[in-house]
Amino acid sequence: QPQACIDPVVCGAAIVNSLQTLVSRSIPSSANGVVTVAQFHAGERDNVIPDVATLGGTIRDVDASVFTTIQRRFREVVAGTCRAYGCTGEVDIKSQYPFVDNHTEQVEVVERCASKLSGPVALKTTAEGLPMMGAEDFSFFLKERPGCFFFLGTQELLLRGLSAYEGSEDTPRSNCMCHGTSYDFNDNALPRAVLMLLRIVEDRLDVALYAQDEVLDGPDLDSGRVASPQEKR
């Protein structure tokens, strides 16, 4: 007798559909925002309509005013939809991460240092694909100190073999997204990361420490002796 009950599953499904309009109809097309429902939990039996449905997800933005609008419309949509289906709803929005906002001077440092890498570890900076909607711990550091969050990129065809060792299999590595179920860290990106961070240190301290070939070939490491920065200058 489903007609004798209030069905939270049907109501929850309607809420999921309605929330998809928040970005397209509540914020300007020039702004950036994401509203994703990633969890829907309801019921335990095939023949029992449950009392409760619980939805979970994430909101992403790069503008505090956009977040304010999404929060307001989110609550209005949930409340209105619940009323239409005879349900009641509770909304709990936790603001966990501020958006990543790089500082101009530090971006210039990254661009300058990236231009110094060549050959198989060469880098070309680009703003393609920005802004991104990722949530990142580094955003908290940027609220306290100037900085720049950047991606190295793996480019497996260029980096292949850089982290190979005797007896290892030199096979192409995965470039899967880090939040994917098939993610596998690509060790071949490590030399590029080391060199990039080294160049940033050199830029910050105005010193010259190690040449690129010294890092990639690692003669001092092979001999069990690490040269001091004074010896390398």
Side-chain angles (χ1 to χ4, degrees):
Q1 295 181 311
Q3 75 282 1
C5 76
I6 296 174
D7 192 338
V9 176
V10 175
C11 180
I15 288 174
V16 173
N17 283 332
S18 297
L19 290 178
Q20 305 312 305
T21 67
L22 292 189
V23 172
S24 63
R25 294 297 180 267
S26 296
I27 65 173
S29 57
S30 58
N32 294 277
V34 173
V35 176
T36 295
V37 178
Q39 298 184 62
F40 194 131
H41 303 283
E44 297 178 353
R45 304 286 297 178
D46 294 338
N47 60 346
V48 178
I49 295 175
D51 295 325
V52 177
T54 303
L55 282 63
T58 185
I59 298 171
R60 305 294 174 90
D61 60 83
V62 292
D63 188 319
S65 64
V66 169
F67 183 51
T68 298
T69 299
I70 290 178
Q71 285 188 93
R72 174 177 57 80
R73 289 293 295 131
F74 195 108
R75 298 180 190 279
E76 292 172 350
V77 165
V78 172
T81 306
C82 284
R83 276 197 305 272
Y85 285 85
C87 296
T88 58
E90 298 179 3
V91 176
D92 181 18
I93 299 177
K94 297 181 174 67
S95 181
Q96 296 179 305
Y97 292 87
F99 60 88
V100 175
D101 189 13
N102 286 333
H103 297 82
T104 302
E105 184 178 347
Q106 280 63 45
V107 171
E108 293 172 352
V109 170
V110 169
E111 292 174 339
R112 187 163 58 245
C113 293
S115 68
K116 297 177 181 178
L117 273 60
S118 60
V121 293
L123 281 173
K124 182 179 72 173
T125 57
T126 177
E128 182 180 350
L130 299 179
M132 296 184 66
M133 298 290 108
E136 173 54 50
D137 294 336
F138 197 74
S139 61
F140 291 105
F141 290 98
L142 293 175
K143 292 293 183 182
E144 303 297 328
R145 296 289 187 274
C148 174
F149 182 84
F150 61 93
F151 292 90
L152 283 171
T154 52
Q155 295 178 289
E156 175 61 16
L157 294 180
L158 285 177
L159 302 177
R160 181 178 175 183
L162 286 183
S163 292
Y165 54 90
E166 186 176 352
S168 68
E169 295 183 9
D170 182 21
T171 56
R173 297 293 304 274
S174 165
N175 284 335
C176 297
M177 292 292 290
C178 61
H179 289 280
T181 56
S182 58
Y183 174 69
D184 177 22
F185 181 78
N186 191 338
D187 301 87
N188 287 328
L190 289 174
R192 172 182 278 171
V194 170
L195 279 163
M196 187 62 188
L197 293 176
L198 175 63
R199 296 295 172 254
I200 291 175
V201 170
E202 291 176 334
D203 188 274
R204 179 69 175 85
L205 301 179
D206 193 24
V207 296
L209 298 175
Y210 296 92
Q212 178 172 301
D213 290 343
E214 291 180 289
V215 175
L216 294 180
D217 297 338
D220 292 296
L221 295 177
D222 291 341
S223 64
R225 173 180 173 274
V226 178
S228 67
Q230 289 78 14
E231 291 177 297
K232 289 296 179 181
R233 274 183 277 183

